[in-house]
Amino acid sequence: MAPRDIAPAEPSHPGTVWLRVALGLVGLACFGALVARADVGAVREVISGLPAVALVVLLPFPLSLAADALAWTRLLRRVGARASFARAWLARVASEAVGNSVPMAGLASETVGPVLLARLTGVPLPTAFATSTAKRWLISRAHATSV
């Protein structure tokens, strides 16, 4: 029995589109209010006072997400599915954002990544979940081996 592909997204109802636009504008207004209250000069002063080497602190996280996305695309190729690195990385970043912003983060994050990958690339949803699970299992084995 072959796994079923996910159905294409239904066209959005006009009310849904307006709701998304309204919520986006509310979010933008909240961000604008936050920036308006921030002391931009003080932030600029602190950042400009840091040595260039301090920027290295920012590199490990995006690099680990990139390695994760690369591993995911390679696992997908092994099972005959194709996904670009860029789309896998976007799905991975989005799932990490969800994981950092909602309760029950691990469960939500591990669900969002494969669903986004399936929607962005057309990879069958069961394949996206299976390769995501395999990737996590391989990472756990690598950690266990190093300990």
Side-chain angles (χ1 to χ4, degrees):
M1 179 172 14
R4 296 183 314 185
D5 293 345
I6 62 169
E10 294 292 323
S12 294
H13 185 274
T16 306
V17 172
W18 285 111
L19 178 62
R20 288 181 182 180
V21 169
L23 290 174
L25 290 173
V26 167
L28 192 58
C30 289
F31 181 71
L34 179 68
V35 170
R37 289 190 173 136
D39 186 356
V40 178
V43 171
R44 185 179 304 128
E45 185 178 322
V46 168
I47 291 174
S48 65
L50 293 174
V53 175
L55 293 176
V56 172
V57 172
L58 301 174
L59 291 177
F61 186 67
L63 289 177
S64 71
L65 290 179
D68 201 338
L70 182 62
W72 203 358
T73 58
R74 289 188 175 190
L75 282 169
L76 285 163
R77 275 193 217 123
R78 296 281 297 199
V79 297
R82 293 263 179 215
S84 72
F85 168 78
R87 297 209 178 214
W89 189 78
L90 285 174
R92 186 65 188 91
V93 168
S95 69
E96 195 67 31
V98 168
N100 287 325
S101 61
V102 299
M104 301 284 294
L107 179 62
S109 176
E110 294 303 320
T111 303
V112 167
V115 170
L116 284 175
L117 184 76
R119 287 194 176 182
L120 288 171
T121 64
V123 168
L125 188 57
T127 302
F129 270 108
T131 53
S132 178
T133 303
K135 178 176 50 104
R136 291 288 169 228
W137 181 76
L138 290 167
I139 290 169
S140 296
R141 280 193 65 194
H143 284 223
T145 303
S146 70
V147 173

